[in-house]
Coordinates of all heavy atoms in Angstrom, one line a residue:
M271 N 67.6 95.4 110.9 CA 68.7 96.0 110.3 C 69.5 97.0 111.4 O 68.8 97.6 112.1 CB 68.2 97.0 109.2 CG 69.2 97.7 108.4 SD 68.5 98.4 107.0 CE 69.5 99.6 106.4
A272 N 70.7 96.8 111.4 CA 71.5 97.6 112.4 C 71.6 99.0 112.1 O 71.5 99.4 110.9 CB 72.9 96.9 112.5
A273 N 71.9 99.9 113.1 CA 72.1 101.3 112.9 C 73.4 101.5 112.2 O 74.3 100.7 112.4 CB 72.0 102.0 114.3
P274 N 73.5 102.6 111.4 CA 74.8 102.9 110.8 C 75.9 103.2 112.0 O 75.6 103.6 113.1 CB 74.5 104.3 110.1 CG 73.0 104.3 109.9 CD 72.4 103.6 111.1
Q275 N 77.0 102.8 111.6 CA 78.2 102.9 112.5 C 79.2 103.9 111.9 O 79.3 104.0 110.7 CB 79.0 101.7 112.8 CG 78.0 100.6 113.5 CD 78.7 99.2 113.6 OE1 79.6 99.0 112.7 NE2 78.2 98.5 114.5
T276 N 79.9 104.6 112.8 CA 80.9 105.5 112.3 C 82.2 104.8 112.3 O 82.7 104.1 113.2 CB 81.1 106.8 113.1 OG1 79.8 107.4 113.2 CG2 82.2 107.7 112.7
T277 N 82.9 104.9 111.0 CA 84.3 104.2 110.9 C 85.3 105.3 111.4 O 85.3 106.4 110.9 CB 84.5 103.8 109.6 OG1 83.8 104.6 108.6 CG2 84.3 102.4 109.3
P278 N 86.1 104.9 112.5 CA 87.0 105.8 113.1 C 88.0 106.5 112.0 O 88.4 107.7 112.1 CB 87.8 105.2 114.1 CG 87.2 103.8 114.2 CD 86.2 103.7 113.0
S279 N 88.5 105.7 111.1 CA 89.6 106.2 110.3 C 89.0 107.1 109.2 O 89.8 108.1 108.7 CB 90.2 105.0 109.6 OG 89.4 104.3 108.7
T280 N 87.8 107.1 108.9 CA 87.3 108.0 107.8 C 86.1 108.9 108.2 O 85.8 109.9 107.6 CB 86.7 107.1 106.6 OG1 85.7 106.5 107.1 CG2 87.8 106.3 106.0
N281 N 85.7 108.7 109.5 CA 84.5 109.4 110.0 C 83.4 109.3 109.1 O 82.5 110.3 109.1 CB 85.0 110.8 110.4 CG 84.1 111.4 111.5 OD1 83.6 110.7 112.3 ND2 84.2 112.7 111.6
Q282 N 83.2 108.3 108.3 CA 82.0 108.2 107.4 C 81.2 107.1 108.0 O 81.6 106.2 108.7 CB 82.5 107.8 106.0 CG 83.3 108.8 105.3 CD 83.8 108.4 104.0 OE1 83.7 107.2 103.7 NE2 84.4 109.2 103.3
T283 N 79.9 107.1 107.7 CA 79.0 106.1 108.2 C 79.0 105.0 107.4 O 79.1 105.1 106.1 CB 77.6 106.6 108.5 OG1 77.1 107.2 107.3 CG2 77.5 107.7 109.6
A284 N 78.9 103.8 107.9 CA 78.7 102.5 107.0 C 77.6 101.7 107.7 O 77.6 101.6 108.9 CB 80.1 101.8 107.0
S285 N 76.8 101.1 106.9 CA 75.9 100.2 107.5 C 76.5 98.9 108.0 O 77.4 98.3 107.3 CB 74.8 99.8 106.3 OG 73.9 98.9 106.8
A286 N 76.0 98.5 109.1 CA 76.7 97.2 109.7 C 76.5 96.0 108.8 O 77.2 95.1 108.9 CB 76.1 97.1 111.1
D287 N 75.4 96.0 108.0 CA 75.2 94.8 107.1 C 75.9 94.9 105.8 O 75.8 94.1 104.9 CB 73.7 94.6 106.9 CG 73.0 95.7 106.4 OD1 73.6 96.9 106.3 OD2 71.8 95.5 105.9
A288 N 76.7 96.0 105.6 CA 77.4 96.2 104.3 C 78.7 95.4 104.4 O 79.3 95.3 105.5 CB 77.7 97.7 104.1
P289 N 79.1 94.7 103.3 CA 80.3 93.9 103.4 C 81.5 94.7 103.6 O 81.7 95.9 103.2 CB 80.4 93.2 102.0 CG 79.5 94.1 101.2 CD 78.5 94.7 102.1
A290 N 82.4 94.3 104.5 CA 83.6 95.0 104.8 C 84.7 94.8 103.7 O 85.8 95.4 103.7 CB 84.2 94.6 106.1
S291 N 84.4 93.8 102.8 CA 85.4 93.6 101.8 C 84.9 94.0 100.4 O 83.8 94.6 100.3 CB 85.7 92.0 101.6 OG 84.5 91.4 101.4
G292 N 85.6 93.8 99.3 CA 85.2 94.2 98.0 C 86.4 94.8 97.2 O 87.5 94.8 97.7
A293 N 86.0 95.3 96.1 CA 87.0 95.9 95.2 C 87.8 97.0 95.9 O 89.1 97.1 95.8 CB 86.4 96.3 94.0
A294 N 87.0 97.9 96.7 CA 87.8 99.0 97.3 C 88.8 98.5 98.4 O 89.9 99.0 98.4 CB 86.7 100.0 97.9
R295 N 88.3 97.6 99.2 CA 89.2 97.1 100.2 C 90.4 96.4 99.5 O 91.5 96.7 100.0 CB 88.5 96.1 101.0 CG 89.4 95.5 102.1 CD 88.6 94.6 103.0 NE 89.5 93.9 103.9 CZ 89.1 93.4 105.1 NH1 87.9 93.5 105.5 NH2 90.0 92.9 105.8
E296 N 90.2 95.7 98.5 CA 91.3 95.0 97.9 C 92.3 96.0 97.3 O 93.5 95.8 97.3 CB 90.8 94.1 96.8 CG 90.2 92.8 97.4 CD 89.5 91.9 96.4 OE1 89.8 92.1 95.1 OE2 88.7 91.0 96.7
A297 N 91.8 97.1 96.7 CA 92.7 98.1 96.2 C 93.5 98.8 97.3 O 94.7 99.0 97.1 CB 91.8 99.2 95.4
H298 N 92.8 99.0 98.4 CA 93.6 99.7 99.5 C 94.6 98.8 100.1 O 95.8 99.2 100.4 CB 92.5 100.1 100.6 CG 91.7 101.2 100.3 ND1 92.1 102.5 100.0 CD2 90.4 101.3 100.2 CE1 91.2 103.3 99.8 NE2 90.1 102.6 99.9
E299 N 94.3 97.5 100.2 CA 95.3 96.5 100.6 C 96.5 96.4 99.7 O 97.7 96.3 100.1 CB 94.6 95.1 100.8 CG 93.7 95.1 102.1 CD 93.0 93.8 102.3 OE1 93.0 92.9 101.3 OE2 92.4 93.6 103.3
A300 N 96.2 96.4 98.4 CA 97.2 96.3 97.3 C 98.2 97.5 97.6 O 99.4 97.3 97.4 CB 96.7 96.2 96.0
K301 N 97.6 98.7 97.8 CA 98.5 99.8 98.0 C 99.4 99.7 99.2 O 100.6 100.0 99.2 CB 97.6 101.1 98.0 CG 97.0 101.6 96.8 CD 98.1 102.2 95.9 CE 97.5 102.9 94.7 NZ 98.5 103.5 93.9
L302 N 98.7 99.2 100.3 CA 99.5 99.0 101.5 C 100.6 98.1 101.3 O 101.8 98.3 101.8 CB 98.5 98.6 102.7 CG 99.2 98.2 104.0 CD1 99.9 99.4 104.6 CD2 98.2 97.6 105.0
F303 N 100.4 96.9 100.7 CA 101.4 95.9 100.4 C 102.5 96.4 99.5 O 103.7 96.1 99.8 CB 100.7 94.6 99.9 CG 99.8 94.0 100.9 CD1 98.7 93.4 100.5 CD2 100.1 94.0 102.2 CE1 97.8 92.7 101.5 CE2 99.2 93.3 103.2 CZ 98.1 92.7 102.8
E304 N 102.1 97.3 98.7 CA 103.2 97.9 97.7 C 104.1 98.7 98.6 O 105.3 98.6 98.4 CB 102.4 98.8 96.8 CG 103.3 99.5 95.7 CD 102.5 100.4 94.7 OE1 101.3 100.1 94.5 OE2 103.1 101.3 94.3
L305 N 103.6 99.5 99.5 CA 104.5 100.2 100.4 C 105.3 99.3 101.3 O 106.5 99.6 101.5 CB 103.6 101.3 101.3 CG 104.4 102.0 102.4 CD1 105.5 102.8 101.7 CD2 103.5 102.8 103.2
L306 N 104.6 98.3 101.9 CA 105.4 97.4 102.8 C 106.4 96.5 102.1 O 107.4 96.1 102.8 CB 104.3 96.5 103.5 CG 103.4 97.2 104.4 CD1 102.3 96.1 104.9 CD2 104.0 97.8 105.6
R307 N 106.4 96.5 100.8 CA 107.5 95.8 100.1 C 108.7 96.6 99.9 O 109.8 96.1 99.6 CB 107.0 95.3 98.7 CG 106.2 94.0 98.7 CD 105.9 93.5 97.4 NE 104.9 94.3 96.6 CZ 103.6 94.2 96.7 NH1 103.1 93.3 97.5 NH2 102.8 94.9 95.9
I308 N 108.6 97.9 100.2 CA 109.9 98.7 100.1 C 110.7 98.4 101.4 O 110.1 98.8 102.5 CB 109.5 100.2 100.0 CG1 108.6 100.4 98.7 CG2 110.7 101.0 100.0 CD1 108.1 101.9 98.5
P309 N 111.9 98.0 101.3 CA 112.6 97.7 102.5 C 113.1 99.0 103.1 O 114.3 99.5 102.8 CB 113.8 96.8 102.0 CG 113.9 97.2 100.6 CD 112.6 97.6 100.1
S310 N 112.4 99.6 104.0 CA 112.7 101.1 104.5 C 112.9 101.1 106.0 O 112.5 102.1 106.6 CB 111.6 102.0 104.0 OG 110.4 101.5 104.5
V311 N 113.5 100.2 106.6 CA 113.8 100.3 108.1 C 114.9 101.2 108.2 O 116.0 100.9 107.8 CB 114.1 98.9 108.6 CG1 114.5 99.0 110.1 CG2 112.9 97.9 108.5
S312 N 114.6 102.4 108.7 CA 115.6 103.5 108.7 C 116.7 103.3 109.6 O 117.7 104.0 109.5 CB 114.8 104.8 109.1 OG 114.4 104.7 110.4
A313 N 116.7 102.3 110.5 CA 117.8 102.1 111.3 C 119.0 101.4 110.6 O 120.1 101.5 111.0 CB 117.4 101.1 112.5
D314 N 118.8 100.9 109.4 CA 119.8 100.3 108.6 C 120.2 101.3 107.5 O 119.5 101.5 106.5 CB 119.3 99.0 108.0 CG 120.3 98.3 107.2 OD1 121.4 98.7 106.9 OD2 119.9 97.1 106.7
S315 N 121.5 101.9 107.6 CA 121.9 102.8 106.6 C 122.0 102.3 105.2 O 122.0 103.0 104.2 CB 123.2 103.6 107.1 OG 124.2 102.6 107.2
A316 N 122.1 100.9 105.1 CA 122.3 100.3 103.8 C 121.0 100.5 102.9 O 121.1 100.4 101.7 CB 122.6 98.8 104.0
V317 N 119.9 100.7 103.5 CA 118.6 100.9 102.8 C 118.2 102.4 102.7 O 117.1 102.6 102.3 CB 117.4 100.0 103.4 CG1 117.8 98.5 103.4 CG2 117.2 100.5 104.8
Q318 N 119.1 103.3 102.8 CA 118.8 104.7 102.8 C 118.1 105.1 101.4 O 117.1 105.7 101.4 CB 120.0 105.5 102.9 CG 119.8 107.1 102.9 CD 118.9 107.6 104.0 OE1 118.7 107.0 105.1 NE2 118.4 108.8 103.8
P319 N 118.5 104.5 100.2 CA 117.8 104.8 99.0 C 116.3 104.4 99.1 O 115.4 105.0 98.5 CB 118.5 104.1 98.0 CG 120.0 104.0 98.5 CD 119.8 103.8 100.1
D320 N 116.1 103.2 99.7 CA 114.8 102.7 99.9 C 113.9 103.5 100.8 O 112.7 103.7 100.7 CB 114.8 101.2 100.3 CG 115.2 100.3 99.2 OD1 114.8 100.5 98.0 OD2 116.0 99.4 99.4
V321 N 114.6 104.0 101.9 CA 113.9 105.0 102.8 C 113.3 106.2 102.0 O 112.2 106.6 102.2 CB 114.7 105.4 104.0 CG1 114.1 106.6 104.7 CG2 115.0 104.2 104.8
L322 N 114.2 106.8 101.1 CA 113.8 107.8 100.3 C 112.7 107.5 99.3 O 111.8 108.3 99.0 CB 115.1 108.4 99.5 CG 116.2 108.9 100.4 CD1 117.4 109.4 99.5 CD2 115.7 110.0 101.4
R323 N 112.9 106.2 98.8 CA 111.8 105.8 97.9 C 110.5 105.6 98.5 O 109.5 105.9 98.0 CB 112.2 104.5 97.2 CG 111.3 104.0 96.1 CD 112.0 102.9 95.3 NE 112.3 101.7 96.0 CZ 111.7 100.5 96.1 NH1 110.6 100.4 95.4 NH2 112.1 99.5 96.8
A324 N 110.5 105.1 99.8 CA 109.3 105.0 100.6 C 108.7 106.4 100.8 O 107.4 106.6 100.8 CB 109.5 104.3 101.9
A325 N 109.5 107.4 101.2 CA 109.0 108.7 101.5 C 108.4 109.3 100.2 O 107.3 109.9 100.3 CB 110.2 109.6 102.0
D326 N 109.0 109.1 99.1 CA 108.4 109.6 97.8 C 107.1 108.8 97.5 O 106.2 109.5 97.0 CB 109.4 109.4 96.7 CG 110.6 110.4 96.7 OD1 110.5 111.3 97.5 OD2 111.7 110.0 96.1
W327 N 107.0 107.6 97.8 CA 105.9 106.8 97.5 C 104.6 107.4 98.3 O 103.6 107.6 97.9 CB 106.0 105.3 97.9 CG 104.9 104.4 97.5 CD1 104.8 103.7 96.3 CD2 103.7 104.1 98.2 NE1 103.6 103.0 96.4 CE2 102.9 103.3 97.5 CE3 103.2 104.6 99.5 CZ2 101.7 102.8 98.0 CZ3 102.0 104.2 99.9 CH2 101.2 103.2 99.1
V328 N 105.0 107.6 99.7 CA 103.9 108.2 100.6 C 103.5 109.5 100.1 O 102.4 109.9 100.1 CB 104.3 108.1 102.0 CG1 103.4 108.9 102.9 CG2 104.5 106.7 102.6
A329 N 104.5 110.3 99.7 CA 104.2 111.7 99.3 C 103.3 111.7 98.0 O 102.3 112.4 97.9 CB 105.6 112.5 99.0
A330 N 103.6 110.8 97.1 CA 102.8 110.6 95.8 C 101.3 110.3 96.2 O 100.4 110.8 95.7 CB 103.5 109.7 94.9
E331 N 101.2 109.3 97.2 CA 99.9 108.9 97.5 C 99.1 110.0 98.1 O 97.9 110.3 97.8 CB 99.9 107.7 98.5 CG 100.3 106.4 97.8 CD 99.4 106.0 96.8 OE1 98.2 105.9 97.1 OE2 99.9 105.7 95.7
L332 N 99.7 110.8 99.0 CA 99.0 111.9 99.7 C 98.7 113.0 98.7 O 97.6 113.6 98.8 CB 99.9 112.4 100.8 CG 100.1 111.5 102.0 CD1 101.2 112.2 102.9 CD2 98.9 111.2 102.8
S333 N 99.6 113.2 97.8 CA 99.3 114.2 96.8 C 98.1 113.8 95.9 O 97.3 114.6 95.6 CB 100.6 114.4 95.8 OG 101.5 115.1 96.5
G334 N 98.0 112.5 95.7 CA 97.0 112.0 94.8 C 95.6 112.1 95.6 O 94.5 112.0 95.0
M335 N 95.7 112.3 96.9 CA 94.4 112.5 97.6 C 94.1 113.9 97.8 O 93.1 114.3 98.3 CB 94.6 111.9 99.0 CG 94.8 110.4 99.1 SD 94.9 110.0 100.9 CE 96.0 108.7 100.8
G336 N 94.9 114.8 97.1 CA 94.6 116.2 97.1 C 95.3 117.0 98.2 O 95.0 118.2 98.3
L337 N 96.1 116.4 98.9 CA 97.0 117.1 99.9 C 98.2 117.8 99.3 O 98.7 117.3 98.3 CB 97.4 116.2 101.1 CG 96.2 115.4 101.7 CD1 96.8 114.4 102.8 CD2 95.4 116.4 102.4
H338 N 98.5 118.9 100.0 CA 99.8 119.6 99.5 C 100.9 118.9 100.4 O 100.9 118.9 101.6 CB 99.7 121.0 99.8 CG 101.0 121.7 99.8 ND1 101.7 121.9 98.4 CD2 101.9 122.2 100.6 CE1 102.8 122.5 98.7 NE2 103.1 122.7 100.0
V339 N 101.9 118.3 99.7 CA 102.9 117.6 100.4 C 104.3 118.3 100.2 O 104.6 118.6 99.1 CB 103.0 116.1 99.9 CG1 104.0 115.4 100.6 CG2 101.7 115.5 100.1
E340 N 105.0 118.4 101.4 CA 106.4 118.9 101.4 C 107.3 117.9 102.0 O 107.0 117.4 103.0 CB 106.4 120.2 102.1 CG 107.7 120.9 102.1 CD 107.7 122.2 102.9 OE1 106.7 122.5 103.6 OE2 108.6 122.9 102.8
R341 N 108.4 117.6 101.3 CA 109.4 116.6 101.8 C 110.5 117.5 102.5 O 111.1 118.4 101.8 CB 110.0 115.8 100.8 CG 110.9 114.7 101.4 CD 111.2 113.7 100.4 NE 112.7 113.7 100.1 CZ 113.4 112.9 99.3 NH1 112.7 112.0 98.6 NH2 114.6 113.0 99.2
L342 N 110.7 117.4 103.7 CA 111.7 118.1 104.5 C 112.9 117.3 104.7 O 112.8 116.3 105.3 CB 111.2 118.6 105.8 CG 109.8 119.4 105.7 CD1 109.2 119.6 107.1 CD2 109.9 120.8 105.1
E343 N 114.1 117.8 104.2 CA 115.3 117.0 104.5 C 115.8 117.3 105.9 O 115.7 118.4 106.3 CB 116.3 117.4 103.4 CG 115.9 117.1 102.0 CD 115.6 115.6 101.7 OE1 116.1 114.8 102.3 OE2 114.6 115.4 100.9
T344 N 116.4 116.3 106.5 CA 116.9 116.4 107.8 C 118.3 115.7 107.7 O 118.6 115.1 106.7 CB 116.0 115.7 108.8 OG1 116.2 114.2 108.7 CG2 114.6 116.0 108.8
P345 N 119.2 115.9 108.8 CA 120.5 115.1 108.8 C 120.2 113.7 108.7 O 121.2 112.9 108.3 CB 121.0 115.6 110.1 CG 120.4 116.9 110.5 CD 119.0 116.7 109.9
G346 N 119.1 113.2 109.1 CA 118.8 111.7 109.1 C 117.9 111.4 107.9 O 118.3 111.5 106.7
N347 N 116.7 111.0 108.2 CA 115.7 110.6 107.2 C 114.8 111.8 106.9 O 114.6 112.8 107.8 CB 114.9 109.5 107.7 CG 115.9 108.3 107.7 OD1 116.6 108.0 106.9 ND2 115.8 107.6 108.9
P348 N 114.2 111.9 105.7 CA 113.3 113.0 105.3 C 112.0 112.9 106.2 O 111.6 111.8 106.7 CB 113.0 112.7 103.9 CG 113.2 111.2 103.6 CD 114.3 110.8 104.6
V349 N 111.4 114.0 106.4 CA 110.1 114.1 107.0 C 109.1 114.7 106.0 O 109.4 115.7 105.3 CB 110.2 115.1 108.2 CG1 108.9 115.3 109.0 CG2 111.1 114.5 109.2
L350 N 107.8 114.1 106.0 CA 106.8 114.6 105.2 C 105.9 115.4 105.9 O 105.5 115.1 107.1 CB 106.1 113.4 104.5 CG 106.9 112.5 103.6 CD1 106.0 111.4 103.1 CD2 107.5 113.3 102.4
N351 N 105.5 116.6 105.3 CA 104.4 117.4 105.9 C 103.4 117.5 104.9 O 103.6 117.8 103.7 CB 105.0 118.8 106.3 CG 103.9 119.7 106.8 OD1 103.3 119.4 107.8 ND2 103.7 120.8 106.1
A352 N 102.2 117.2 105.3 CA 101.0 117.1 104.3 C 99.9 117.9 105.0 O 99.5 117.9 106.1 CB 100.6 115.7 104.0
E353 N 99.3 118.8 104.0 CA 98.2 119.6 104.5 C 97.1 119.5 103.5 O 97.3 119.5 102.3 CB 98.7 121.1 104.6 CG 99.7 121.4 105.7 CD 100.1 122.8 105.8 OE1 99.5 123.7 105.2 OE2 101.1 123.0 106.6
S354 N 95.8 119.6 104.0 CA 94.7 119.7 103.1 C 94.4 121.1 102.7 O 94.7 122.0 103.4 CB 93.5 119.0 103.8 OG 93.2 119.7 104.8
P355 N 94.0 121.3 101.5 CA 93.7 122.7 101.1 C 92.5 123.2 101.8 O 91.7 122.4 102.4 CB 93.1 122.5 99.6 CG 92.9 121.1 99.4 CD 93.6 120.4 100.5
P356 N 92.4 124.6 102.0 CA 91.3 125.1 102.8 C 90.0 124.8 102.2 O 89.9 124.7 101.0 CB 91.6 126.6 102.7 CG 92.9 126.8 102.1 CD 93.4 125.5 101.4
E357 N 89.0 124.5 103.0 CA 87.7 124.2 102.6 C 86.8 125.5 103.0 O 86.8 125.9 104.1 CB 87.1 123.0 103.3 CG 87.7 121.7 103.0 CD 87.3 121.2 101.6 OE1 86.1 121.5 101.2 OE2 88.2 120.5 101.0
P358 N 86.1 126.0 102.0 CA 85.3 127.3 102.3 C 84.3 126.9 103.5 O 83.6 125.9 103.4 CB 84.6 127.5 101.0 CG 85.4 126.9 100.0 CD 86.1 125.7 100.6
G359 N 84.2 127.8 104.4 CA 83.3 127.6 105.4 C 83.8 126.7 106.6 O 82.9 126.4 107.5
Q360 N 84.9 126.1 106.5 CA 85.5 125.3 107.5 C 86.6 125.9 108.3 O 87.3 126.7 107.6 CB 86.0 124.0 106.9 CG 84.9 123.2 106.2 CD 83.9 122.7 107.1 OE1 84.1 122.1 108.2 NE2 82.6 122.7 106.7
P361 N 86.8 125.6 109.5 CA 87.9 126.2 110.3 C 89.2 125.8 109.8 O 89.4 124.8 109.2 CB 87.6 125.7 111.7 CG 86.6 124.6 111.7 CD 86.0 124.8 110.3

């Protein structure tokens, strides 16, 4: 049996013999593809409404993870700022 490995994106340990696929992976991929289907290439001003829709989609996902999200308007495209709530005993 292989030693547990740390996954860089989540900093959680996973057993090397655990399957990398499954329902959780499929759900994450479905969310990613949902975002990628929004035509939000910001260099094209014709898709400005979709850029805003993509920003709102990302903001909703981050909020759903428990982060405080603020959408900052700029002369160009919006910028999202997301912060995690303070954790007692953590810096």
Side-chain angles (χ1 to χ4, degrees):
M271 182 166 166
Q275 297 176 336
T276 301
T277 24
S279 63
T280 62
N281 207 22
Q282 296 175 349
T283 57
S285 175
D287 58 348
S291 61
R295 179 180 174 156
E296 289 175 13
H298 289 298
E299 287 176 351
K301 287 284 190 184
L302 174 61
F303 295 142
E304 183 180 331
L305 173 61
L306 294 175
R307 280 191 286 279
I308 301 173
S310 58
V311 177
S312 63
D314 183 356
S315 61
V317 297
Q318 181 66 18
D320 289 317
V321 170
L322 300 176
R323 186 165 60 105
D326 290 342
W327 187 96
V328 171
E331 288 297 309
L332 294 172
S333 291
M335 292 182 220
L337 300 175
H338 170 74
V339 181
E340 182 179 12
R341 186 169 119 176
L342 307 169
E343 299 302 329
T344 71
N347 295 310
V349 174
L350 296 177
N351 180 55
E353 296 181 8
S354 62
E357 293 283 333
Q360 297 295 317

